[in-house]
Amino acid sequence: MREAGFTTLAMEASASAARALDAYVRHGIGDPARLITRLGFWTWRTEEMLDLVEWLRTHNRALPEDRRVRFVGTDPQRCADSVDAVAAFLRQVAPERAEDVRELEVPARAHPASRPDPEQAFLRRAEALAGFLEDHREKFARRTTVDAADEALEHARILVRAADLVTRSPDLRSGEDSVFAVRDRYMADAVSRLVDGSPQARVIVWAHNGHLAKGTYGDGVPALGSRLRERYGDGYYALALLFGKGSFLARRGHDLQGPPRRHRIGTGMRSVEARLAGAVPGDYYADLRAAGSSPEAAQWLRAPQMQRSFGAHVPRFVYRLHVAPLVPADDYDGIAFVARSTCSRLLPPMET
């Protein structure tokens, strides 16, 4: 932020709840620990995340408004804050429509593809509500403020995207129309709005490596990073974060509510992580755009490899065997390698 002049930190987190955390980062409004718990993923409810947010607040405090770093969520899901924001706005400007938004509480809290519906009824309701706010934006702005009308409209648009994800089929065979591809497209669009909205914008995107990759992930899902690479060329720099051995937190199996557990892992025998750990001791950063001066290095960087693949959930016993294919120089522009990982420290439970 200080050296490279980045203007925004965009995270794979609730686009809805992140707006309140942005108010803290830029203006000191609210309780940061409580706001972090609303970001939609337990992986962010950590002391490390709180330290980052407090650092951003300190960084911004001495800067003029137009130079303060923003905090933005890119993920449409987990958007209960948007339901509350739109309902409150409608009670001011159109009380007869205030209850309409309550019909969207289900998709606002549900997981993507958890309510598959070929007719996408929730989406149609959300689109109607956003259309109403857009059609009456100027009138509502006169009755409140332009900022209030724009804020309500943006929250309504978040509800549209969330309702779309919730009602899509989980079937990967639908390709570009699969819920996974659409989610990454929405996250890429969120980043593009930041970049295209200001000629001075420089955005850090923080997400799982699979989303940041310049190609596909899973069963051929076009990643967020592939879309940004297509739009911005070398202006998008895909930086992967890998580690050698150590421990990490994850929930076991398909348990969506259980406590995260500590898992241990070594480098393995044939993983990219094992090769990186053996190449250079300690922590380091490798710029793959500048690498490959030797024929051997260039050949390895362009050859198919396997990386370990973990997320917020891992199988109970066989997580050590989970790997995903990659071609290092094709998927990433750089690698930040941590020799030994330790578990993040969860914040105490609190009501959201």
Side-chain angles (χ1 to χ4, degrees), residues 324-351:
L326 85 157
V327 176
D330 289 350
D331 285 321
Y332 303 119
D333 296 300
I335 294 175
F337 184 76
V338 177
R340 179 177 291 276
S341 171
T342 57
C343 292
S344 55
R345 300 161 294 163
L346 295 176
L347 291 171
M350 64 177 63
E351 298 206 3

Side-chain angles (χ1 to χ4, degrees), residues 36-37 40-47 251 345-347:
I36 286 171
T37 67
F41 301 93
W42 68 263
T43 48
W44 301 136
R45 296 197 296 269
T46 66
E47 292 183 23
R251 284 177 169 154
R345 300 161 294 163
L346 295 176
L347 291 171

Side-chain angles (χ1 to χ4, degrees), residues 222-252:
L224 151 70
S226 71
R227 301 180 189 281
L228 295 179
R229 183 65 165 208
E230 181 179 350
R231 296 174 192 180
Y232 303 110
D234 285 346
Y236 174 67
Y237 189 98
L239 178 64
L241 175 61
L242 301 176
F243 72 95
K245 57 185 177 180
S247 59
F248 63 94
L249 291 181
R251 284 177 169 154
R252 290 177 176 169

Side-chain angles (χ1 to χ4, degrees), residues 45-61:
R45 296 197 296 269
T46 66
E47 292 183 23
E48 290 81 4
M49 183 67 186
L50 181 58
D51 289 344
L52 170 64
V53 167
E54 293 287 24
W55 184 91
L56 286 171
R57 176 65 196 135
T58 300
H59 174 76
N60 281 337
R61 187 176 286 117

Side-chain angles (χ1 to χ4, degrees), residues 74-116:
T74 62
D75 199 332
Q77 62 175 311
R78 319 291 177 85
C79 56
D81 281 20
S82 290
V83 171
D84 294 340
V86 175
F89 183 76
L90 287 173
R91 283 195 293 270
Q92 281 186 278
V93 299
E96 71 282 2
R97 299 292 299 267
E99 287 306 308
D100 292 359
V101 71
R102 293 301 172 188
E103 298 177 353
L104 299 174
E105 286 185 341
V106 170
R109 299 178 184 277
H111 296 283
S114 62
R115 300 288 194 280

